[in-house]
Amino acid sequence: MFEKIVGHETITHHLEKEIVGDEMSHAYLFSGMDGIGKKKTAKEFAKALLCSDNEEKPCGHCPACIQIDHENHPDVKVIGAKTGETSIKISQVREMISDLSVKPYSGNWRIVIIDEAERMTPEAQNSLLKSLEEPLSYNIFILITSHPQSILPTIRSRCQSYHFQPLNSRKIKEILHRDTEFDSQLIDNAVLSSGGSPGMAYYLLENSEIREERVHYLREIYSLLRGNEIKVFSLAETLSKDKTTSQGTLEFLIHWFYQVGLLLDGHPLPDNAKPDQALVAFYKLLENEKNEAIIKTLFEMMATIQYNVNLRLQWEKCFIKIMRIQKG
Ligand SMILES: [Zn+2]
């Protein structure tokens, strides 16, 4: 049923069981980093319910499947922040809710996918909460988010949660070799800097300057770990330009130090991948406990930047802490 989804087997297995047994929840929360396959899974889920093929659901080529792919199926609503807007407004949620009381147009189900659900304003979230509290039998909500902590606990508690883990590099390579024409070397490099997200790897392939930027950050952080204090400030300055870059870089760094941790623990890298030179350099520089403390610091930074903080100051604090950890 979810053959198109690479990885996330535990999740798709559960979802398939629910669909086959007709035991779906009224609301789901799909969390996990950007570009990892959450929305794709949500769409496959919708297709499995609405596909008009009698034998294989989803077939991928009936009108319903095609409409869902193109996000113009009448019973699959996809809402997100409008172009040029940073938040999902209460007016969008109200409009969506007013459509929900009408029975589905083509079948038994209506699926509402809220993309980047953390962008809903508190008012929008409260307005959605009412629909979740009194669900109509044919409506299924799927909230997609990379920051579940920004969703009201009252909403989260009404959703069945699935957390999407980063994919291992072999799986990402599989996707990229299948879907793109890039050569192996470029794909390997992009995967290494992708933080386990196929969407990010793809983005890096398309945007070589960001790929180079990440290699640059690694060099700078390596230098910082070796005691080059000035890097604290230059890195903080570059990284504080905007929140999105900060988040993406943080996810990448967390994944990076996680891989260093695998080496330090004596574990092979996922799929016995050969560690690249940069990774080995970090491995030689760090000790296990320190590496773990660095990862913890990066996670704290991740939590901090959810709020309206002075990014530059927070990055400085973060890097100073990392430098102190390394100094011991
Ligand atoms: Zn179909």
Side-chain angles (χ1 to χ4, degrees), residues 5-73:
I5 306 298
V6 180
H8 314 304
E9 289 86 359
T10 317
I11 295 174
T12 53
H13 180 73
H14 271 285
L15 291 174
E16 184 165 344
K17 242 170 86 180
E18 290 177 26
I19 293 171
V20 172
D22 200 15
E23 291 166 338
M24 289 83 70
S25 302
H26 282 293
Y28 292 91
L29 182 69
F30 288 0
S31 62
M33 62 196 295
D34 284 335
I36 205 168
K38 304 185 295 295
K39 191 173 180 188
K40 212 166 184 165
T41 305
K43 282 184 174 181
E44 290 302 304
F45 180 88
K47 283 195 221 166
L49 290 177
L50 297 171
C51 174
S52 53
D53 193 273
N54 288 324
E55 288 175 4
E56 193 197 353
K57 286 176 194 285
C59 69
H61 48 73
C62 71
C65 284
I66 291 171
Q67 281 176 319
I68 293 170
D69 270 335
H70 290 96
E71 297 188 11
N72 56 14
H73 190 291

Side-chain angles (χ1 to χ4, degrees), residues 133-264:
E133 281 167 345
E134 297 152 21
L136 292 166
S137 60
Y138 42 78
N139 290 329
I140 296 178
F141 291 88
I142 305 178
L143 278 63
I144 294 174
T145 183
S146 53
H147 299 292
Q149 63 275 29
S150 306
I151 311 266
L152 291 177
T154 40
I155 290 189
R156 275 186 284 167
S157 69
R158 296 196 175 266
C159 296
Q160 182 167 347
S161 288
Y162 285 114
H163 184 69
F164 288 62
Q165 301 287 349
L167 292 184
N168 68 38
S169 31
R170 180 177 50 81
K171 293 213 162 114
I172 305 179
K173 284 178 195 170
E174 199 179 298
I175 298 174
L176 294 173
H177 281 294
R178 184 191 68 195
D179 296 348
T180 74
E181 302 279 312
F182 291 102
D183 70 48
S184 291
Q185 184 62 48
L186 277 177
I187 287 181
D188 286 357
N189 286 342
V191 170
L192 189 75
S193 308
S194 70
S197 155
M200 177 49 75
Y202 183 70
Y203 179 71
L204 291 172
L205 280 169
E206 298 267 289
N207 297 277
S208 56
E209 72 281 7
I210 294 181
R211 211 165 59 229
E212 280 153 24
E213 206 173 88
R214 292 197 164 183
V215 174
H216 168 76
Y217 292 147
L218 284 180
R219 270 197 213 114
E220 298 284 289
I221 290 170
Y222 183 79
S223 170
L224 176 136
L225 287 170
R226 299 194 58 179
N228 190 347
E229 283 178 37
I230 200 95
K231 300 295 180 194
V232 168
F233 306 101
S234 55
L235 270 164
E237 188 181 356
T238 341
L239 281 170
S240 57
K241 296 238 161 69
D242 68 279
K243 205 165 154 176
T244 316
T245 314
S246 277
Q247 275 171 0
T249 311
L250 261 172
E251 280 168 2
F252 160 61
L253 290 177
I254 288 169
H255 188 72
W256 181 262
F257 284 101
Y258 170 75
Q259 292 189 87
V260 176
L262 286 180
L263 289 181
L264 287 167

